[in-house]
């Protein structure tokens, strides 16, 4: 496989301001106090007691340049990652005491309920770490990590991880095929498959690549043989028949869309002139709309969906929002217009215009689940501008959702509206509980509670990665309505040294609410 430098969708470093962990864990003693990664200007803003920083988190999915190299023969693929310990702060034995089946099961069950948790999940998926002690199938954990990245819409990151691992194996080739189809860059994967047909277990892939290579007669013969021998499912056969003979589609009715198409089926529907709307499909398909080939509206919908999941940077979202002026009104266009108007106002620095535009755009971005993206873009530019009381309140919320939340919290300590959030931002147990949803459970999580027995047991066994996944699962359960689990999840994150994650997750839950799908 040709090796080249990629700019993968990975996690850039964040401003971190974590407290000393509530209990001592060996790996934390060696964690870096600051991460130096392309694009970061992070410094700790805490007090001396709060100066120990947390490594395995980030604000955004903005990507540093990553040099991708193939593995030597002595390296186990399950250990492959794009983020070394020097950048994540996570130890190399993250998974080494675990059974791969337990890790894979836990990864499949967790959800990213707020952007801070999404960032932590992405860090775990991309981290370099020793393979699990027990694994019944080669590459099992790597396959599960890549599959999760793809499902989350982090297709660029999955592509980079595949290249790092060298995907010319039977376990990784199907993922490589799907990723290249989603990204629209097929020549290399098809050449590889045609040179070694044993890599693909699905004959549909070989037929597609034969056609792509101009070998139409061979593709047609292979399809006919596969149908006769029952080696291909009927939908794939029908789609490939129309793909190979476009004129046939002119005299036959449109094919009913599947509820869960494969990536190849998605592209075949597109090729025969019956594209499937990506917004009705799993998130990974949203990546195909980012080119704008299906129109600006589809591009915006896809960008918003990926930004909510933390797999599209805030700057790229802004670029798509501001490509042109909306020619319609209502729904998504009102949000685009409001954002563009605010962006123009913040450029002028006119306080009155900024305040008016801010009060207008904030609820629209909240409705779309994009307050954290908005705060990353604009919170710093809002600070210090004289505005109305309503606009100042919105500005304070943006500040608390921004990467510099702790620094801005210092100015809000004596503001009764935000005193609770300001204490959470500084890692202090609140003296009074806010009436906001989740506030009581969050306050308890910052009051020094010990982690759950399950998390403690995993730590004693040296299963740090599983302990982090369990803390995420508890947080998720708490967001779903099991209040004590939210408290335990936050307490566990703090005990594990993931202070920045705990604070940002709590603030995001309080101000922006749970993430949308």
């Amino acid at each position: 496989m040709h090796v080249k430098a990629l700019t993968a969708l990975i996690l850039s470093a964040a401003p971190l301001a974590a407290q000393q962990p509530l209990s001592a864990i060996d790996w934390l003693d060696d964690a870096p106090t600051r991460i130096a990664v392309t694009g970061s200007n992070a410094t700790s803003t805490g007090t001396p007691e709060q100066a120990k920083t947390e490594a395995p988190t980030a604000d955004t999915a903005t990507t540093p340049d990553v040099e991708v190299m193939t593995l030597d023969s002595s390296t186990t693929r399950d250990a492959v990652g794009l983020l070394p310990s020097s950048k994540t702060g996570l130890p190399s034995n993250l998974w080494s005491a675990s059974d791969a089946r337990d890790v894979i099961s836990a990864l499949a069950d967790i959800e990213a309920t707020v952007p801070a948790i999404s960032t932590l999940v992405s860090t775990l998926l991309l981290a370099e770490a020793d393979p699990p002690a027990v694994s019944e199938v080669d590459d099992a954990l790597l396959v599960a990590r890549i599959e999760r990245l793809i499902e989350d819409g982090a297709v660029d990151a999955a592509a980079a991880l595949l290249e790092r691992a060298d995907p010319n194996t039977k376990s990784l080739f199907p993922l490589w095929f799907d990723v290249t189809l989603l990204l629209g860059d097929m020549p290399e994967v098809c050449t590889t498959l045609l040179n070694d047909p044993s890599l693909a277990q699905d004959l549909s892939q070989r037929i597609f690549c034969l056609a792509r290579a101009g070998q139409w007669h061979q593709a047609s013969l292979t399809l006919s043989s596969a149908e006769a021998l029952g080696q291909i499912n009927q939908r794939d056969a029908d789609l490939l028949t129309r793909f190979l003979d476009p004129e046939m589609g002119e005299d036959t009715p449109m094919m009913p869309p599947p509820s869960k198409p494969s990536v190849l089926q998605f592209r075949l529907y597109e090729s025969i002139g019956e594209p499937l709307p990506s917004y009705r499909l799993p998130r990974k398909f949203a990546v195909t709309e980012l080119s704008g080939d299906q129109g600006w509206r589809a591009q915006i919908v896809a960008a918003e969906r990926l930004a909510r999941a933390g797999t599209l940077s805030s700057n790229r979202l802004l670029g798509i929002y501001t490509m042109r002026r909306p020619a319609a009104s209502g729904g998504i266009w009102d949000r685009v217009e409001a954002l563009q108007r605010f962006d123009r106002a913040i450029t002028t620095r006119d306080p009155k215009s900024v305040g008016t535009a801010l009060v207008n755009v904030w609820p629209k971005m909240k409705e779309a689940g994009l307050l954290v993206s908005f705060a990353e873009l604009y919170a710093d530019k809002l600070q210090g501008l004289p505005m109305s009381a309503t606009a100042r309140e919105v500005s304070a919320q943006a500040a608390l959702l921004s990467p510099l939340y702790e620094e801005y919290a210092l100015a809000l300590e004596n503001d009764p509206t935000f005193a609770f959030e300001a204490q959470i931002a500084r890692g202090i147990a609140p003296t009074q509980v806010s009436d906001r949803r989740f506030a009581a459970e969050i306050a308890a999580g910052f009051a020094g509670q010990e982690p759950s027995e399950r998390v403690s047991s995993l730590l004693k066994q040296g299963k740090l990665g599983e302990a982090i996944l369990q803390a995420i699962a508890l947080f998720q359960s708490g967001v779903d309505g099991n209040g004590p689990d939210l408290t335990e999840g936050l307490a566990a994150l703090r005990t594990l040294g993931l202070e920045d994650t705990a604070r940002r997750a709590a603030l995001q839950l309080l101000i922006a609410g749970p993430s949308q799908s």
Side-chain angles (χ1 to χ4, degrees):
M1 175 180 179
H2 179 67
V3 180
K4 58 181 180 290
L6 286 180
T7 303
L9 186 62
I10 315 175
L11 312 167
S12 66
L16 306 172
Q19 288 181 306
Q20 185 72 21
L22 303 180
S23 63
I25 302 172
D26 292 341
W27 70 266
L28 287 170
D29 295 334
D30 299 322
T33 57
R34 182 179 177 186
I35 314 171
V37 181
T38 304
S40 173
N41 58 356
T43 57
S44 174
T45 58
T47 61
E49 292 77 19
Q50 296 171 320
K52 187 176 181 67
T53 61
E54 167 204 357
T57 55
D59 315 309
T60 71
T62 307
T63 65
D65 289 337
V66 177
E67 183 70 26
V68 181
M69 299 175 291
T70 53
L71 296 175
D72 59 52
S73 58
S74 63
T75 305
T76 302
R77 282 187 172 81
D78 275 343
V80 172
L82 297 178
L83 298 177
S85 292
S86 61
K87 292 182 179 178
T88 66
L90 294 169
S92 60
N93 64 352
L94 182 68
W95 311 115
S96 60
S98 297
D99 185 320
R101 292 169 297 185
D102 295 334
V103 177
I104 292 168
S105 177
L107 280 173
D109 289 341
I110 59 173
E111 295 179 11
T113 46
V114 292
I117 297 297
S118 177
T119 294
L120 178 56
V121 172
S122 296
T123 304
L124 293 171
L125 295 174
L126 295 172
E128 288 182 354
D130 296 335
V134 179
S135 183
E136 294 183 346
V137 181
D138 289 343
D139 307 338
L141 181 55
L142 176 60
V143 167
R145 289 159 55 205
I146 294 172
E147 286 177 340
R148 179 60 190 258
L149 286 168
I150 295 171
E151 291 304 318
D152 286 349
V155 180
D156 284 328
L161 196 54
L162 281 162
E163 185 167 354
R164 174 70 177 90
D166 188 358
N168 297 323
T169 68
K170 288 186 177 180
S171 61
L172 296 180
F173 183 85
L175 296 172
W176 186 32
F177 188 89
D178 281 357
V179 162
T180 52
L181 264 180
L182 289 168
L183 296 176
D185 184 20
M186 292 301 297
E188 185 176 2
V189 72
C190 276
T191 299
T192 300
L193 174 57
L194 296 180
N195 288 335
D196 184 2
S198 68
L199 286 171
Q201 298 178 358
D202 186 351
L203 270 176
S204 299
Q205 297 175 347
R206 184 162 183 262
I207 295 167
F208 177 77
C209 283
L210 284 168
R212 289 275 308 213
Q215 300 179 40
W216 298 95
H217 181 65
Q218 183 64 30
S220 182
L221 287 176
T222 305
L223 174 57
S224 298
S225 298
E227 282 191 279
L229 296 172
Q231 295 175 323
I232 187 171
N233 69 63
Q234 192 58 51
R235 186 182 295 274
D236 283 354
D238 291 343
L239 284 167
L240 285 166
T241 298
R242 295 194 187 193
F243 177 64
L244 296 174
D245 185 6
E247 292 183 1
M248 176 178 289
E250 297 176 3
D251 302 320
T252 54
M254 293 179 64
M255 293 186 61
S259 57
K260 294 183 179 179
S262 68
V263 177
L264 179 56
Q265 288 172 349
F266 178 86
R267 284 303 195 188
L268 286 172
Y269 270 97
E270 183 179 67
S271 297
I272 66 173
E274 300 176 18
L276 304 174
S278 70
Y279 68 87
R280 297 177 179 174
L281 300 174
R283 190 183 295 122
K284 62 186 176 185
F285 293 105
V287 175
T288 65
E289 306 281 14
L290 292 180
S291 65
D293 292 343
Q294 302 301 323
W296 189 32
R297 189 183 189 284
Q299 188 179 20
I300 294 169
V301 171
E304 289 185 337
R305 194 175 180 191
L306 294 170
R308 282 193 292 270
T311 56
L312 188 82
S313 71
S314 300
N315 280 326
R316 189 169 183 194
L317 174 66
L318 177 62
I320 291 173
Y321 266 143
T322 55
M323 287 179 64
R324 57 181 70 95
R325 296 293 297 273
S329 60
I332 195 171
W333 301 119
D334 287 348
R335 182 160 61 251
V336 173
E337 172 63 29
L339 189 283
Q340 289 186 359
R341 184 169 297 176
F342 174 79
D343 189 63
R344 292 193 296 270
I346 201 72
T347 301
T348 67
R349 304 292 293 173
D350 175 64
K352 184 176 180 180
S353 298
V354 170
T356 301
L358 177 61
V359 172
N360 182 42
V361 73
W362 185 258
K364 292 178 172 58
M365 297 303 285
K366 184 173 185 177
E367 182 182 17
L370 294 167
L371 287 187
V372 174
S373 293
F374 182 87
E376 289 172 353
L377 288 167
Y378 296 113
D380 188 53
K381 298 176 182 179
L382 286 169
Q383 306 315 304
L385 287 178
M387 293 183 287
S388 68
T390 302
R392 283 199 305 271
E393 184 172 322
V394 173
S395 176
Q397 293 180 71
L400 290 167
L401 291 176
S402 75
L404 298 178
Y405 64 92
E406 186 179 8
E407 177 181 323
Y408 294 135
L410 294 173
L412 297 171
E413 286 182 302
N414 298 320
D415 185 334
T417 304
F418 294 105
F420 180 86
E421 288 82 356
Q423 289 177 310
I424 294 297
R426 297 184 61 209
I428 301 171
T431 53
Q432 292 185 336
V433 177
S434 166
D435 59 359
R436 288 181 185 268
R437 185 186 177 197
F438 301 118
E441 294 83 359
I442 288 172
F446 281 79
Q449 177 171 319
E450 292 297 316
S452 68
E453 182 178 345
R454 171 66 173 157
V455 172
S456 298
S457 174
L458 289 168
L459 285 176
K460 289 176 183 177
Q461 298 172 61
K463 299 178 179 180
L464 174 62
E466 286 189 69
I468 296 174
L469 291 174
Q470 179 62 25
I472 294 172
L474 285 167
F475 186 92
Q476 172 186 327
S477 175
V479 172
D480 290 341
N482 302 311
D485 285 354
L486 178 56
T487 297
E488 289 189 10
L490 287 168
L493 288 170
R494 302 186 76 212
T495 296
L496 292 165
L498 301 172
E499 181 71 17
D500 184 69
T501 296
R503 295 187 198 181
R504 298 200 73 182
L507 290 169
Q508 290 165 4
L509 197 56
L510 285 166
I511 298 171
S515 296
Q516 302 174 21
S517 61

